[in-house]
């Protein structure tokens, strides 16, 4: 490895190999060519450089879930590495994955985290899990689609009565399994709420009849009037009451 003068150390550029049975021998000579030497007392190992990032997959929430604000929710993921995962960071986005400003947890090798869900009403949430190994290789995964945090104060049965007709954005949106549509009535009225495709064709009627003042919620699971799954795409939902029409749009991911 080196031929030196009187030094007692040497900066070694370790090769990129996997060798378990290594030893070092140091031989020193004096001006009279007398020679003395020593070797390592036992074997040491050279480990090859690790350039492999951990593999990570978010399990839940992975898109389409509706999580109550102020509840306890278990975030879960899988992670693996050719050596070991040494650190994990769990991050939250409320803008559909554009940014992840909120760090929910900094962990070791765990694959779950008990999340105290904040008191917010956010329809466009995603989780990002970042795992690192001992060589600081980083792997990550995010929720496949948006999930929503729902303020449970805005569900059917609440005492609040709106001063005007309200048709709220569906939650979650986009959605894969089901979405919840909420509307509010200032007075008792006859209501029709339907789902339409981009051609304006009625897909399914979710509400029809006389409804009391207050907030009401209906659910659509991406099926037409015949109970068949519709194709992925943009859909509209329209609320028709006595003399007034409100419309919103949503994206379905089949």
């Amino acid at each position: 490895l080196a031929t030196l003068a009187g030094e007692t150390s040497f900066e070694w550029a370790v090769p990129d190999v996997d060798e378990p049975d290594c030893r070092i021998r140091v031989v020193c000579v004096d001006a009279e060519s007398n020679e003395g030497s020593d070797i390592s007392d036992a074997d040491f190992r050279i480990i090859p450089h690790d350039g492999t990032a951990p593999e990570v997959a978010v399990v839940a929430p992975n898109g389409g879930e509706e999580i109550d604000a102020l509840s306890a929710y278990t975030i879960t993921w899988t992670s693996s590495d050719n050596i070991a995962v040494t650190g994990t960071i769990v991050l939250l986005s409320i803008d559909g994955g554009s940014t992840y400003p909120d760090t929910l947890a900094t962990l070791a090798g765990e694959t779950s985290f008990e999340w105290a869900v904040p008191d917010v009403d956010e329809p466009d949430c995603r989780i990002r899990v970042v795992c690192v190994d001992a060589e600081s290789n980083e792997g990550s995964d995010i929720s496949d689609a948006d999930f929503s945090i729902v303020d449970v104060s805005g569900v059917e049965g609440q005492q609040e009565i709106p001063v005007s007709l309200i048709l709220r954005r569906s939650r979650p949106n986009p959605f894969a399994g089901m979405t919840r549509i909420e509307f509010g009535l200032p007075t008792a009225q006859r209501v029709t709420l339907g789902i339409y495709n981009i051609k304006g064709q009625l897909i399914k009627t979710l509400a029809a009849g006389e409804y009391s003042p207050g907030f009401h919620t209906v659910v659509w699971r991406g099926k037409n009037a015949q109970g068949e799954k519709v194709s992925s795409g943009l859909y509209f939902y329209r609320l028709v009451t006595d003399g007034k029409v409100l419309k919103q749009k949503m994206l379905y991911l089949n």
Side-chain angles (χ1 to χ4, degrees):
L1 302 182
T3 301
L4 310 169
E7 293 91 337
T8 56
S9 66
F10 166 65
E11 194 75 13
W12 179 27
V14 184
D16 189 11
V17 295
D18 188 358
E19 295 291 349
D21 304 316
C22 303
R23 296 197 184 198
I24 290 293
R25 183 182 183 212
V26 177
V27 182
C28 294
V29 295
D30 62 15
E32 295 295 323
S33 298
N34 298 302
E35 181 180 291
S37 67
D38 189 36
I39 66 171
S40 307
D41 291 339
D43 293 344
F44 64 89
R45 180 175 184 175
I46 300 175
I47 301 173
H49 172 69
D50 178 18
T52 303
E55 294 184 1
V56 187
V58 174
V59 176
N62 201 32
E65 296 90 346
E66 190 171 88
I67 302 173
D68 289 341
L70 298 178
S71 67
Y73 184 89
T74 303
I75 300 172
T76 58
W77 62 92
T78 62
S79 62
S80 62
D81 187 64
N82 59 327
I83 299 178
V85 172
T86 58
T88 301
I89 302 174
V90 183
L91 304 162
L92 172 67
S93 170
I94 58 172
D95 57 11
S98 296
T99 61
Y100 288 85
D102 298 324
T103 299
L104 303 183
T106 301
L107 311 167
E110 296 92 333
T111 56
S112 67
F113 168 65
E114 192 74 10
W115 178 29
V117 184
D119 185 14
V120 296
D121 190 356
E122 296 290 350
D124 304 317
C125 303
R126 297 199 184 200
I127 289 294
R128 183 182 183 211
V129 176
V130 181
C131 294
V132 297
D133 63 14
E135 294 292 325
S136 299
N137 298 304
E138 181 180 294
S140 66
D141 189 40
I142 66 172
S143 306
D144 289 343
D146 293 345
F147 65 90
S148 59
I149 301 173
V150 180
D151 181 357
V152 294
S153 65
V155 300
E156 185 175 358
Q158 66 179 7
Q159 297 302 312
E160 177 189 357
I161 296 177
V163 296
S164 61
L165 185 66
I166 292 176
L167 179 61
R168 287 181 171 162
R169 184 180 180 186
S170 60
R171 300 176 305 205
N173 184 12
F175 74 102
M178 59 84 74
T179 190
R180 184 172 292 180
I181 300 170
E182 184 180 35
F183 60 93
L185 305 175
T187 60
Q189 299 181 52
R190 185 167 184 81
V191 166
T192 301
L193 177 63
I195 305 294
Y196 297 82
N197 62 22
I198 58 175
K199 296 180 180 179
Q201 298 167 324
L202 178 64
I203 300 300
K204 187 172 183 177
T205 299
L206 299 181
E210 191 78 16
Y211 280 77
S212 61
F215 286 89
H216 305 271
T217 303
V218 294
V219 170
W220 186 43
R221 301 186 184 278
K223 295 182 179 181
N224 60 23
Q226 290 74 44
E228 303 165 332
K229 284 281 189 181
V230 299
S231 59
S232 297
L234 185 66
Y235 290 86
F236 298 89
Y237 54 101
R238 188 173 66 181
L239 178 69
V240 180
T241 64
D242 298 333
K244 204 163 189 178
V245 177
L246 296 179
K247 185 169 70 172
Q248 295 272 18
K249 61 183 178 181
M250 57 187 165
L251 182 62
Y252 175 57
L253 306 173
N254 187 350

